[in-house]
Amino acid sequence: METSPISPTKNKNTARPQQREERAQRKLNAAIPFRQRSPGLLPEALEVGVRPDPANQIVETQVIEHPVAGFEGDSDKLQVSTNEMAEHLQASDLWYCPDGSFVKKIIVPGHGLDKPKLGSKCRVLALGFPFGSGMPEGWTELTIGIGQWREKIWGELTEKCLESMRQGEEAKIHLPGSSAPLAKLRLDSFTSGRDSWEMEAMEKEALAKEEHRRGTELFQAGNPQGAARCYGRALRLLLTLPPPGPPERTVLYANLAACQLLLGHPQLAAQSCDRVLEREPGHLKALYRRGVAQAALGDLEKATADLKKVLAADPKNRAAKEELGKVVIQGRKQDEGLARGLRKMFS
């Protein structure tokens, strides 16, 4: 088990889960636009015949409207007066996650200098996470870098927050632009872990392979967002190795590009494909996916060039033929629109 409840408290947020789910999807863009799948979008490790159902690819996120006001089960230690709250919520007690995904408000500062690292087992009190988020309620044990609890967006936010906390620290997690806290965390204790630079190359590669494997499982299950997080974690481990690094990096970037296309991020997908093509200029799946990404970005010339390279190497590639046909039609429409505009200007 990835999470081991120690003294869980009852979840009070079970009412009207459907309404909360709808609010969550609106606020966090859970209803992600997906392109129609084709064999060219499948990760490297998947067989062409495996096609996850796009209907199941909805990110399971919810926003709780009225978060728990305070921690339960340990009130003698955790209750804070109104005046103390006002003092604690000053700008000096805010911590902004570097990737912009959340803001942490420190309610009670921790002590010591150490923070959880990879492999640290953390005893955590978690309260207020949305119903259906996959996060435990109450006391639990979470291991940094290990476990399926990290795969959904709330688990990822929690892990990032824990890595910034010191022992005894209590904090609220806020989403960008939201005044109401998403949840509360208290880091009671944690075991020592290791930074990536303290690990041997073989250990990093083993962890990266496990993340790669799990990412492919999630992709097959119709969860490209969870898969992208796994592929990203694997790449972050491998990028700390001396150049040129293991060949698995190429596969991971190609798989990540497939996820990014499905998640509606063509710019990121094009960048991931660039990383692949820097190593392997003739990588057909990367060329195809970059062509799809360039078409989505409106750069039809680059899209055409990439897709023609795919067809030159593989004339029977049906996905590339279909995509090139779409690009040609899109180009004609652009030309017709430009012509109409010019006629209006000079008529």
Side-chain angles (χ1 to χ4, degrees):
M1 295 292 292
E2 287 73 23
T3 60
S4 305
I6 299 172
S7 179
T9 57
K10 186 176 180 181
N11 193 329
K12 297 184 178 182
N13 301 289
T14 57
R16 300 180 181 176
Q18 184 176 358
Q19 293 182 6
R20 290 199 305 277
E21 184 173 0
E22 291 173 355
R23 287 195 296 270
Q25 291 174 352
R26 289 195 299 269
K27 186 163 184 179
L28 296 178
N29 299 318
I32 300 172
F34 294 100
R35 292 181 57 87
Q36 181 67 32
R37 291 180 178 271
S38 68
L41 293 180
L42 292 175
E44 299 285 317
L46 303 185
E47 295 180 1
V48 172
V50 179
R51 292 191 181 215
D53 182 4
N56 294 328
Q57 299 176 6
I58 301 299
V59 181
E60 298 175 5
T61 55
Q62 295 174 320
V63 174
I64 192 165
E65 190 168 14
H66 301 293
V68 178
F71 288 98
E72 298 178 7
D74 208 2
S75 58
D76 58 325
K77 296 182 181 179
L78 300 176
Q79 285 187 351
V80 182
S81 69
T82 303
N83 291 336
E84 289 173 328
M85 287 282 287
E87 292 175 2
H88 281 303
L89 297 184
Q90 297 176 0
S92 59
D93 294 314
L94 297 180
W95 182 84
Y96 295 84
C97 186
D99 64 8
S101 58
F102 69 94
V103 179
K104 180 182 73 172
K105 289 187 176 180
I106 301 174
I107 307 304
V108 177
H111 53 84
L113 299 176
D114 292 335
K115 298 175 182 178
K117 301 177 182 178
L118 183 64
S120 292
K121 293 182 179 180
C122 305
R123 186 171 185 267
V124 180
L125 180 60
L127 290 173
F129 279 102
F131 176 74
S133 66
M135 292 299 298
E137 182 81 359
W139 287 104
T140 188
E141 186 177 274
L142 304 174
T143 303
I144 301 296
I146 300 174
Q148 295 183 12
W149 66 276
R150 308 153 60 237
E151 291 170 1
K152 293 184 180 180
I153 187 171
W154 307 121
E156 184 179 27
L157 292 180
T158 299
E159 185 172 54
K160 291 176 183 176
C161 188
L162 289 174
E163 288 177 323
S164 73
M165 298 176 74
R166 296 179 296 164
Q167 185 170 346
E169 182 177 324
E170 300 164 19
K172 294 180 180 179
I173 299 177
H174 286 252
L175 297 178
S178 174
S179 58
L182 165 69
K184 287 185 176 181
L185 291 175
R186 172 185 171 180
L187 179 58
D188 188 63
S189 61
F190 59 91
T191 62
S192 59
R194 291 184 296 172
D195 286 315
S196 60
W197 58 266
E198 297 177 289
M199 300 171 61
E200 297 291 337
M202 291 181 62
E203 293 179 279
K204 294 179 184 180
E205 292 183 16
L207 284 173
K209 285 182 179 179
E210 178 59 25
E211 292 283 6
H212 188 172
R213 182 197 64 78
R214 183 56 183 162
T216 299
E217 286 182 354
L218 291 171
F219 194 98
Q220 287 177 314
N223 183 358
Q225 190 173 58
R229 283 195 284 270
C230 289
Y231 295 145
R233 287 195 289 261
L235 281 166
R236 284 193 292 273
L237 283 167
L238 297 181
L239 287 172
T240 62
L241 298 177
E248 190 177 8
R249 281 172 49 179
T250 301
V251 178
L252 285 165
Y253 272 122
N255 289 359
L256 182 59
C259 296
Q260 290 164 336
L261 281 175
L262 293 171
L263 293 168
H265 302 302
Q267 182 67 50
L268 294 177
Q271 292 173 1
S272 295
C273 290
D274 287 341
R275 300 293 182 272
V276 176
L277 296 168
E278 287 171 1
R279 284 172 163 252
E280 296 184 27
H283 196 288
L284 295 186
K285 288 186 178 180
L287 283 169
Y288 170 77
R289 291 166 188 164
R290 191 172 69 175
V292 173
Q294 297 292 1
L297 293 169
D299 195 332
L300 303 186
E301 185 176 348
K302 289 183 178 180
T304 300
D306 282 339
L307 294 170
K308 283 185 175 180
K309 288 179 182 178
V310 175
L311 291 172
D314 182 10
K316 295 182 179 181
N317 191 311
R318 188 175 66 179
K321 286 181 180 179
E322 292 177 356
E323 194 65 33
L324 183 59
K326 294 176 185 177
V327 171
V328 170
I329 293 172
Q330 189 176 348
R332 287 174 181 170
K333 289 181 179 179
Q334 285 187 1
D335 292 341
E336 291 171 1
L338 179 60
R340 284 194 300 269
L342 290 172
R343 284 196 295 270
K344 288 181 180 178
M345 287 177 61
F346 295 102
S347 61

